[in-house]
Amino acid sequence: MKRNLSKLAALALAAVLMMSLAACGNSAGETTSTADSGTESTADAGSGTKEAKDVKVGLILSGAISDMSWNYTAYQGLQKIQEQGAEVFYQENVEPADIPEQFRTYSTAGIDVVFVSSDSYQEVTLENAPNYPDTQFIIINGSANEGNVCSVQVADEEQGFMMGVIAATASKNASVGFVGGTEITPIINGSKGFEQGVAYVNPDAEVRTVMTGSMTDTAAAKEQAIALEEFGADVLVPMANNASLGVLEAAEDSGVYSIGTGEGQETSGPNSMLLAVNKDTSVAYLAAFEQYLNGELTSDTDTVPKYGADQGVVTLGPWQACADEVLTDEQKQSIQDIYEKLVNGEIEIELD
């Protein structure tokens, strides 16, 4: 349960934080705190590890927590961290150019751990993190372990692979389309996984991939999706955070099928979305926080942990009603069997 900070010192801290956030010109964030000090921590006080109740955690988001996708599950991760007893803060829709100011804001607020939600922040994080040696920075989907910066990754390619498997199975034209957002490593990996998932089911199927350059421009995503339909794609797959909704809307309008990337997205395609292949990044956030508490975050430049289907990050949502129009029970079971192989490590996705 969330509550406003009640102690005078905490109120002053929140005031400083909110004034600084307003100065950044970003959308308003929410300052939250943990429950009372009786909250249990997962850390063992006798082992020399940190206790969650003594830690302040900040999250910097590239988009809105309402996107039913990447930023939403990041926020869910922050809530899980709060449930451990930590005091948490977050800020939405932060542009890379505003990261230095956000770091200063969090430093003033006494934040111990800062999660940055995208590898698009990696360069600016590495440049500015040395200015805050007492703060631990964790980049989600980053590749850097350096000083007080470490990274954890999410298996975007596994999500893409399963979307490709489903799209190829459902396509009657043997033609499918992928609409990505910003051309960053996670989206590129997702597209590679998608291509390999399609080929796993139907090596002869046509795959068309486009990138809009934006994670928020739903109109551009919808326009690209319509173009893919004109080339014959009868199943569309997005990987563009909030902009994904434009792809689902295009499929809904034209009567082709789509595959979602997060819980709740079926509201944008009630008659056309087959199911969602969910990517619950909250699992990675909580795991990284627990490693921080236990002093287990690695600085090994060759070791960046990756979380995927095996850890419950990539999952299949429930089939929607329209799936019965194009998929038999045997095909649905085949898709489930392929997913189980992915979970068990029997499928290898190649990334250059």
Side-chain angles (χ1 to χ4, degrees):
M1 178 177 181
K2 293 178 184 171
R3 61 177 176 82
N4 291 327
L5 298 174
S6 58
K7 297 180 181 179
L8 291 177
L11 283 170
L13 173 64
V16 170
L17 178 64
M18 294 309 295
M19 285 189 292
S20 297
L21 293 180
C24 291
N26 299 314
S27 68
E30 178 179 347
T31 303
T32 63
S33 70
T34 63
D36 293 335
S37 59
T39 302
E40 292 294 329
S41 166
T42 57
D44 179 1
S47 67
T49 58
K50 297 178 177 65
E51 293 193 56
K53 66 182 180 63
D54 298 324
V55 178
K56 294 181 175 67
V57 179
L59 170 62
I60 298 175
L61 295 160
S62 57
I65 63 174
S66 60
D67 68 358
M68 293 183 285
S69 185
W70 182 262
N71 293 285
Y72 170 77
T73 61
Y75 177 66
Q76 295 300 306
L78 190 66
Q79 289 187 308
K80 289 181 178 180
I81 290 170
Q82 184 185 39
E83 290 168 2
Q84 301 302 306
E87 191 173 358
V88 302
F89 306 82
Y90 74 95
Q91 179 68 10
E92 303 173 86
N93 298 308
V94 180
E95 295 294 333
D98 295 322
I99 288 290
E101 180 61 31
Q102 189 63 52
F103 285 174
R104 283 190 290 272
T105 297
Y106 277 163
S107 177
T108 301
I111 303 297
D112 302 291
V113 182
V114 175
F115 283 95
V116 290
S117 67
S118 170
D119 78 322
S120 62
Y121 296 144
Q122 179 164 293
E123 183 177 348
V124 68
T125 298
L126 290 173
E127 289 175 355
N128 288 272
N131 298 328
Y132 310 100
D134 296 328
T135 303
Q136 175 66 61
F137 295 88
I138 302 175
I139 305 173
I140 303 299
N141 264 350
S143 58
N145 287 330
E146 179 180 313
N148 57 335
V149 177
C150 70
S151 299
V152 298
Q153 294 181 353
V154 173
D156 302 277
E157 66 274 13
E158 292 186 2
Q159 182 187 38
F161 180 87
M162 286 309 307
M163 290 194 293
V165 165
I166 298 162
T169 304
S171 177
K172 302 305 180 185
N173 297 343
S175 179
V176 297
F178 178 100
V179 180
T182 307
E183 196 166 357
I184 56 178
T185 300
I187 306 303
I188 293 171
N189 288 349
S191 68
K192 291 178 179 178
F194 179 73
E195 293 169 358
Q196 292 174 54
V198 172
Y200 190 90
V201 173
N202 182 2
D204 297 324
E206 179 184 52
V207 181
R208 291 184 181 272
T209 299
V210 295
M211 301 287 181
T212 69
S214 171
M215 296 294 201
T216 58
D217 192 340
T218 56
K222 186 172 184 177
E223 182 179 338
Q224 291 291 351
I226 292 171
L228 291 174
E229 293 169 14
E230 292 173 350
F231 278 108
D234 59 356
V235 182
L236 300 175
V237 169
M239 190 176 285
N241 293 359
N242 191 64
S244 295
L245 302 181
V247 178
L248 304 181
E249 291 170 3
E252 184 77 4
D253 292 345
S254 62
V256 303
Y257 294 98
S258 65
I259 300 167
T261 59
E263 295 180 5
Q265 288 186 348
E266 65 274 3
T267 58
S268 294
N271 302 303
S272 58
M273 200 181 94
L274 301 173
L275 85 169
V277 179
N278 298 315
K279 185 168 56 187
D280 185 2
T281 65
S282 70
V283 175
Y285 280 88
L286 181 58
F289 179 67
E290 291 178 339
Q291 290 166 7
Y292 167 79
L293 291 178
N294 295 321
E296 297 171 350
L297 288 176
T298 180
S299 59
D300 183 351
T301 56
D302 296 324
T303 304
V304 176
K306 179 174 281 193
Y307 300 91
D310 186 31
Q311 293 79 25
V313 171
V314 177
T315 61
L316 302 182
W319 292 105
Q320 302 302 304
C322 66
D324 293 335
E325 299 172 2
V326 289
L327 294 171
T328 65
D329 290 342
E330 290 76 13
Q331 288 175 315
K332 291 179 182 178
Q333 185 58 53
S334 175
I335 290 168
Q336 182 64 40
D337 292 343
I338 293 171
Y339 173 72
E340 294 300 330
K341 289 181 179 180
L342 188 65
V343 170
N344 295 330
E346 299 175 41
I347 294 175
E348 183 176 353
I349 303 170
E350 295 292 336
L351 297 175
D352 295 335

